[in-house]
Amino acid sequence: MYITWFSSLLLPIAILTTYITIYVLIPKYLLTKKYYKLFLYGFYTLAMSVYLITLAIIGSFIFITKLDISKVPPMGRNFIFILILVYLIVAVISFIYILNHNFNVQSQFKALENKILETNLQIKEQELHYLKKQIHPHFLFNTLNTIYGLSLKKSEYTPDVILKLSNLLDYILYQVQKPKVVLSEEVAHIEEYIDLEKIRFQDRLKVTFTTHIENETILIPPMLFLPFIENAFKHGNIIHHFLTITIELEATNDSLIFRCTNSAYLKEKEGSAGIGLENIRKRLTLLYPEKHQLHLTTTSETFVIALEIKLN
């Protein structure tokens, strides 16, 4: 009888103390690192709970046992034990609350981190898409100029140029939308582009394209090397009666090494890098952050682009 009534008096005190602890002390002062106020109000809460527990013990002794100490169980006579029991309940519930809070915070942080990552990826995709949109008109502009010049001359090469251009258009309009293409496709379209420029320049062009590829199925972003080559043809200068261009491509399972050299006057190359070259810089930064090295070297008669990409 005594235990039932006494427990019914202690339970509201334990609930009140727990409520103040988990809804006031922990969120307002512990989690915000306001330790002075935490200590101050924690002391007030402790004093209040001790006072209420003392009143419950005295009230139970007066009204339940009618001042008969023999009716009080041994544990009910131990004030320290009663305090420990109440504060143990408060401590366990508070500990569970803190664990749950930390779990929720980590979950929210992870969700926010994933959202930020997803947003960054979307921004990168949009920027890459924008850069590709810039590359296409620039690439087509140069090729259409070639066809225009041949048509004015009524050249016999015009149909062949149009056929090669149609293949390149298929690559630009459809294949380039893919995030990756096999290296052999890029090489094939580089060769088609060089063939177009050979027709355009005819005997004023000296171009060499050499490859050393261990694995032609390596996946790379489309139009990765073409803008460099296009830049060489567009901004290269005819020196000693020739536009001289040398292109080298080496591919292993671990790296890609690309080098393009074109004849160009130093004074004309300074301050004129071309849209394609600027775009490829940005694409490399987005696609291969900290995994590529791009070096541009200008001499009195040459402009050299050297690119190395780490695939792993």
Side-chain angles (χ1 to χ4, degrees):
M1 182 68 178
Y2 176 85
I3 295 176
T4 304
W5 283 102
F6 184 60
S7 299
S8 65
L9 291 175
L10 286 181
L11 184 60
I13 299 173
I15 293 174
L16 177 63
T17 306
T18 303
Y19 181 88
I20 294 173
T21 302
I22 66 176
Y23 290 110
V24 178
L25 298 180
I26 293 176
K28 288 188 176 181
Y29 306 121
L30 178 62
L31 298 180
T32 57
K33 298 182 179 180
K34 297 178 180 179
Y35 299 120
Y36 174 76
K37 290 186 177 181
L38 174 66
F39 176 79
L40 179 63
Y41 293 116
F43 176 77
Y44 290 159
T45 303
L46 179 64
M48 177 198 69
S49 61
V50 170
Y51 175 72
L52 292 176
I53 292 171
T54 304
L55 287 181
I57 294 173
I58 295 173
S60 299
F61 181 66
I62 294 173
F63 296 107
I64 298 175
T65 66
K66 306 298 182 180
L67 302 177
D68 186 359
I69 192 65
S70 63
K71 294 181 180 180
V72 179
M75 290 186 298
R77 303 173 193 174
N78 192 329
F79 181 70
I80 301 299
F81 174 78
I82 294 172
L83 289 180
I84 292 174
L85 182 63
V86 172
Y87 294 128
L88 182 62
I89 295 172
V90 175
V92 169
I93 297 177
S94 299
F95 179 72
I96 294 173
Y97 172 83
I98 292 174
L99 284 180
N100 184 63
H101 176 270
N102 288 340
F103 177 77
N104 290 336
V105 168
Q106 289 180 358
S107 299
Q108 293 173 2
F109 178 77
K110 190 66 177 179
L112 180 62
E113 190 178 47
N114 290 337
K115 189 173 182 179
I116 292 173
L117 179 61
E118 183 179 350
T119 302
N120 287 338
L121 288 174
Q122 289 176 353
I123 292 173
K124 285 188 176 183
E125 288 296 327
Q126 291 174 357
E127 185 167 354
L128 283 172
H129 184 69
Y130 170 72
L131 293 176
K132 288 177 182 178
K133 289 289 186 182
Q134 281 189 312
I135 291 173
H136 300 170
H138 185 213
F139 180 81
L140 290 174
F141 176 78
N142 289 347
T143 309
L144 288 173
N145 270 346
T146 300
I147 296 176
Y148 176 72
L150 291 174
S151 64
L152 289 179
K153 299 177 182 178
K154 301 187 186 310
S155 172
E156 62 180 301
Y157 296 110
T158 303
D160 187 39
V161 173
I162 294 175
L163 179 61
K164 292 182 182 297
L165 178 59
S166 68
N167 292 333
L168 287 171
L169 281 175
D170 176 72
Y171 184 61
I172 292 172
L173 296 177
Y174 299 104
Q175 303 301 322
V176 83
Q177 301 302 324
K178 300 177 182 178
K180 301 280 187 177
V181 296
V182 294
L183 181 59
S184 58
E185 287 187 45
E186 181 84 356
V187 171
H189 288 92
I190 288 174
E191 291 172 343
E192 284 188 325
Y193 181 81
I194 291 173
D195 289 340
L196 286 173
E197 294 293 4
K198 284 180 179 179
I199 297 172
R200 174 187 169 195
F201 284 92
Q202 296 188 12
D203 57 355
R204 295 175 300 158
L205 176 66
K206 288 183 178 180
V207 59
T208 304
F209 179 35
T210 58
T211 61
H212 179 70
I213 301 174
E214 294 182 1
N215 182 4
E216 293 186 348
T217 62
I218 293 174
L219 296 176
I220 64 168
M223 298 282 287
L224 185 61
F225 303 120
L226 270 172
F228 285 131
I229 299 170
E230 179 190 9
N231 184 80
F233 279 98
K234 181 178 181 181
H235 296 282
N237 298 120
I238 295 177
I239 299 177
H240 307 305
H241 308 292
F242 294 101
L243 170 61
T244 305
I245 297 176
T246 303
I247 305 163
E248 301 168 82
L249 177 60
E250 180 179 345
T252 66
N253 290 324
D254 299 323
S255 66
L256 288 171
I257 299 175
F258 175 81
R259 183 181 177 89
C260 182
T261 305
N262 62 271
S263 54
Y265 293 116
L266 176 62
K267 63 179 181 179
E268 294 188 8
K269 281 308 299 179
E270 291 178 347
S272 177
I275 296 175
L277 183 56
E278 185 60 28
N279 281 343
I280 205 66
R281 282 178 182 271
K282 295 178 181 179
R283 287 186 72 200
L284 286 169
T285 301
L286 290 171
L287 294 167
Y288 298 103
E290 300 181 359
K291 290 187 178 181
H292 75 279
Q293 292 183 344
L294 178 63
H295 299 288
L296 309 180
T297 305
T298 306
T299 66
S300 59
E301 292 189 352
T302 61
F303 181 71
V304 182
I305 295 172
L307 171 64
E308 181 175 359
I309 297 174
K310 297 295 181 183
L311 298 179
N312 295 325

